[in-house]
Amino acid sequence: EVQLVESGGGLVQPGGSLRLSCAASGFTFNNHWMSWVRQAPGKGLEWVANIKQDGGEKFYVDSVKGRFTISRDNPKKSLFLQMNSLRAEDTAVYYCARDTYYFDFSGQYRRNDAFDIWGQGTVVTVSS
Amino acid sequence: QSVLTQPPSVSAAPGQKVTISCSGSSSNIENNFVSWYQQLPGTAPKLLIYDNNKRPSGIPDRFSGSKSGTSASLGITGLQTGDEADYYCGTWDGSLSAGVFGGGTKLTVL
């Protein structure tokens, strides 16, 4: 079964750190870009970051640049999000998601920028 | 304020059709694929449409997507009470070098 399972969420004080993990199974992990998406209580989805198959490219939403770091361990089929200098506005459910891809007419790998597999989410609460 | 603009809510009767719009710009929708997601209360989002108008396996053909210029839309026909959910559009923004979502639309099936 294709599956993503997040862990590592919890309650942390402002300024603190957390490391989220996402364990993948049932598919070839290193074929896919992977993303983190979050959802604050009662709010909509917010894309946070993504990482290329080999970890060689990473992108972040402006609000987390310099504070969050996305990484992956392909042999262990795991995705991570290191979150430092946490703020109250980082409180959210954090989802790990698999990016879809295709091969263009020249055979080059291209992202569809769609997320076809999602984890169940892990809750991060930043509060004193 | 989301980069992509969706109506906060739409409603229609069972069996009817509804369309949800998603408005963006040349840096996102116009030059990138649009996807749509359904989020039932208390659950993770589910991919409904990718590549503007393609359905993953298992998604009924009651759901359709389209794109024109800087706007996209999701259509749902034969509405069922089980379709009551939040719906989000998403794409990549080349100027921001970031993924972006719409603010979400709550569908009520009256």
Side-chain angles (χ1 to χ4, degrees):
Chain A
E1 180 190 5
V2 176
Q3 196 173 11
L4 296 170
V5 179
E6 302 94 337
S7 60
L11 173 64
V12 61
Q13 292 188 340
S17 298
L18 272 180
R19 187 187 193 220
L20 305 184
S21 299
C22 172
S25 59
F27 65 96
T28 305
F29 184 69
N30 57 9
N31 278 356
H32 295 264
W33 282 71
M34 296 294 296
S35 293
W36 287 99
V37 177
R38 67 184 179 183
Q39 187 169 33
K43 303 296 184 182
L45 302 176
E46 181 182 35
W47 179 89
V48 175
N50 67 358
I51 184 169
K52 192 177 180 180
Q53 304 99 295
D54 63 0
E57 286 186 71
K58 305 173 186 181
F59 297 96
Y60 299 91
V61 68
D62 280 349
S63 60
V64 309
K65 284 179 182 175
R67 300 189 299 123
F68 290 11
T69 302
I70 189 172
S71 62
R72 63 192 296 162
D73 183 334
N74 284 342
K76 294 186 177 178
K77 302 183 74 171
S78 294
L79 177 71
F80 305 101
L81 187 67
Q82 177 66 44
M83 304 186 296
N84 299 331
S85 303
L86 282 161
R87 306 166 180 167
E89 54 265 36
D90 296 317
T91 294
V93 176
Y94 284 73
Y95 296 102
C96 122
R98 185 179 84 169
D99 289 41
T100 58
Y101 68 92
Y102 68 102
F103 293 97
D104 67 16
F105 65 93
S106 65
Q108 184 149 5
Y109 181 107
R110 299 287 186 189
R111 293 193 336 253
N112 297 86
D113 295 316
F115 310 113
D116 64 341
I117 304 296
W118 297 68
Q120 84 288 352
T122 187
V123 177
V124 172
T125 303
V126 184
S127 174
S128 54
Chain B
Q1 190 78 346
S2 302
V3 172
L4 305 180
T5 301
Q6 296 180 234
S9 63
V10 296
S11 62
Q16 296 301 303
K17 174 183 177 178
V18 71
T19 300
I20 298 173
S21 62
C22 176
S23 177
S25 69
S26 59
S27 67
N28 43 65
I29 288 179
E30 187 166 38
N31 290 291
N32 293 287
F33 288 124
V34 175
S35 52
W36 288 90
Y37 304 86
Q38 177 193 62
Q39 187 176 34
L40 298 169
T43 69
K46 175 183 178 181
L47 179 65
L48 288 179
I49 298 289
Y50 68 100
D51 288 6
N52 306 327
N53 55 18
K54 297 177 182 174
R55 284 176 286 106
S57 62
I59 302 299
D61 59 7
R62 298 189 300 109
F63 296 90
S64 64
S66 64
K67 186 180 94 167
S68 178
T70 60
S71 293
S73 63
L74 172 71
I76 312 173
T77 60
L79 279 171
Q80 303 171 1
T81 55
D83 295 331
E84 286 201 334
D86 294 321
Y87 292 84
Y88 296 90
C89 58
T91 187
W92 183 258
D93 190 298
S95 294
L96 299 173
S97 291
V100 290
F101 286 102
T105 298
K106 182 175 183 61
L107 169 64
T108 300
V109 181
L110 302 167

